[in-house]
Amino acid sequence: MAAPTPTARKVLARLSLPERRFVADALRAETVGGVLLLVAAIAAIIWANTPISGSYETVRDFHIGPASLGLDLSIQHWAADGLLAVFFFVAGIELKRELVAGELRDPKAAALPVIAAICGMAVPALVYTLVNVVGDGPLDGWAVPTATDIAFALAVLAVIGTSLPSALRAFLLTLAVVDDLFAILIIAVFFTNDLNFAALGGAVVALAVFWLLLRKGVRGWYIYVPLALVIWGLMYNSGVHATIAGVAMGLMLRCTRHADEEHSPGEHIEHLIRPLSAGLAVPLFALFSAGVSVSGNALGDVFTQPVTLGVVLGLVVGKAVGIFGGTWLTARFTRAELNEDLAWPDVFAVAALAGIGFTVSLLIGELAFAGDAGLTDEVKAAVLMGSLIAAVFSGVLLKLRVRKYAALLADEERDDDQDGIPDMYELDDPDYHRRMAEIYEKKAAEHRRQAELAGAPRDDADSPA
């Protein structure tokens, strides 16, 4: 007797109910932050391109902080190294949760977003490199188009009103988390110079104390906030980018729940810190980093200079081709099947959406061309233009399937028995069918009663039961 054929693993299959609820909550918060980020970026561009642009530069370049501690920094510097540490702290918690309780905990399930993210970073870097090798441009900015800004991407979704099915949204979120991990590694490895080993050693010791206090169950913000500031200051003075401190602390938090816990400590702290990150830290970074000239000549130069053209093509072409290609190859060689409710053009649309690389791309651009203010501004303009093109392109692709997405989302959220659990998660539950039969019978009885009151003949054949 032949062995039964194993069921093929589904690519972008339906999420479990707890994971679906977590993804919905996380993306709802990211969407609000993305809208604020979009508003801050627009405000920065307007401020920097009006007659009062001088005040923008004055505020951005104003220095504040204790020079004796090596922290006499400009406002822009504080936003990039200080406020973004909060953003990367939240990213560290998200990564830890994905590793222990999310899509990345299962190696088989993790293969898809990890390979897609790697390809989605390698191909843009390759596109940038090829453009600059051919055009004899600088190769320093190869990492600029490798990052995805999940908040900005979700803001675009909110603006165009596309309701993606939860599987596609989860894929985008997990992809962005893995993307953030590799962006962190790029910053740590390629943008670390002149190490101060004394400060680095102090940061490591302080992180060890942070971890030990967490392990011992010590509580109190008045302990952890000062310690976090010490860790950040030591990391900044070590020569390693200070945002790495935020990631390290985020990864140390426990993101698994004990039996008596409704939320893990990591989830609780993320819930508290995310509004600070999405509502203040990232928008302020955008405000003081996105203010570049957008004159006709500047926009034209984006498409004529190798370094800026490489960034634009990396974001628009490299991201879409890399993520889609990585996903398709993973499915092809693992013999997995795409979820029957979706089509490969849906995956390509999401891959194109990932070409919106704003926050981390701007940060890497500042690090890559730190010694050349003019080139830094050109790269920022290229990031803005590339992200805009990617947003419009992906928006058009998603709009073409908006009716299909709306129908899928309605099926996911339908709850006819009103028990708080979507019906699609209860189809195999006998109690669900009993409850639905009772609901239909009540509706039929009400229908018959209304008919009798109206003097119409009763027709039991109309009963939906």
Side-chain angles (χ1 to χ4, degrees), residues 271-290:
H271 179 73
L272 294 176
I273 300 298
R274 185 182 288 276
L276 176 62
S277 171
L280 181 67
V282 176
L284 280 179
F285 168 76
L287 182 64
F288 294 112
S289 292

Side-chain angles (χ1 to χ4, degrees), residues 85-314:
V86 179
F87 165 79
F88 278 105
F89 175 69
V90 174
I93 299 175
E94 290 176 338
L95 177 60
K96 179 67 173 291
R97 188 201 169 275
E98 287 292 327
L99 289 170
V100 300
E103 289 293 305
L104 301 182
R105 72 187 185 280
D106 179 5
K108 291 183 179 179
L112 178 66
V114 169
I115 293 174
I118 291 174
C119 293
M121 300 186 81
V123 176
L126 180 61
V127 169
Y128 175 92
T129 302
L130 289 175
V131 170
N132 282 271
V133 167
V134 172
D136 195 26
L139 301 181
D140 307 62
W142 63 270
V144 174
T146 60
T148 293
D149 193 315
I150 182 63
F152 217 144
L154 292 170
V156 171
L157 284 178
V159 170
I160 65 176
T162 299
S163 299
L164 282 182
S166 60
L168 283 175
R169 289 177 175 263
F171 176 64
L172 181 61
L173 178 62
T174 307
L175 189 73
V177 170
V178 178
D179 194 289
D180 284 342
L181 169 63
F182 286 108
I184 292 160
L185 293 176
I186 287 173
I187 292 171
V189 174
F190 295 98
F191 298 104
T192 295
N193 299 307
D194 303 324
L195 282 176
N196 181 329
F197 287 100
L200 182 60
V204 171
V205 171
L207 281 169
V209 173
F210 187 89
W211 177 82
L212 185 61
L213 291 175
L214 289 173
R215 290 279 293 180
K216 295 294 184 182
V218 176
R219 298 185 178 184
W221 65 267
Y222 46 86
I223 296 175
Y224 289 104
V225 171
L227 181 56
L229 293 175
V230 170
I231 293 170
W232 177 87
L234 289 169
M235 191 69 75
Y236 175 82
N237 283 286
S238 73
V240 177
H241 199 270
T243 54
I244 303 300
V247 178
M249 287 184 281
L251 286 171
M252 289 181 179
L253 295 177
R254 176 170 60 82
C255 292
T256 53
R257 302 177 188 177
H258 290 162
D260 59 340
E261 291 180 331
E262 183 178 356
H263 301 287
S264 68
E267 291 171 328
H268 177 66
I269 293 174
E270 180 188 6
H271 179 73
L272 294 176
I273 300 298
R274 185 182 288 276
L276 176 62
S277 171
L280 181 67
V282 176
L284 280 179
F285 168 76
L287 182 64
F288 294 112
S289 292
V292 296
S293 174
V294 291
S295 64
N297 291 335
L299 294 178
D301 290 344
V302 166
F303 299 100
T304 58
Q305 302 297 322
V307 61
T308 50
L309 181 60
V311 170
V312 172
L313 291 179

Side-chain angles (χ1 to χ4, degrees), residues 47 55-65 71-84 281 284-289 366:
W47 191 1
S55 64
Y56 177 81
E57 296 175 359
T58 300
V59 174
R60 182 189 63 188
D61 298 332
F62 180 77
H63 277 244
I64 188 173
L71 296 175
D72 181 20
L73 310 177
S74 67
I75 297 296
Q76 182 183 16
H77 208 161
W78 275 111
D81 279 3
L83 292 178
L84 276 196
L284 280 179
F285 168 76
L287 182 64
F288 294 112
S289 292
E366 292 180 357

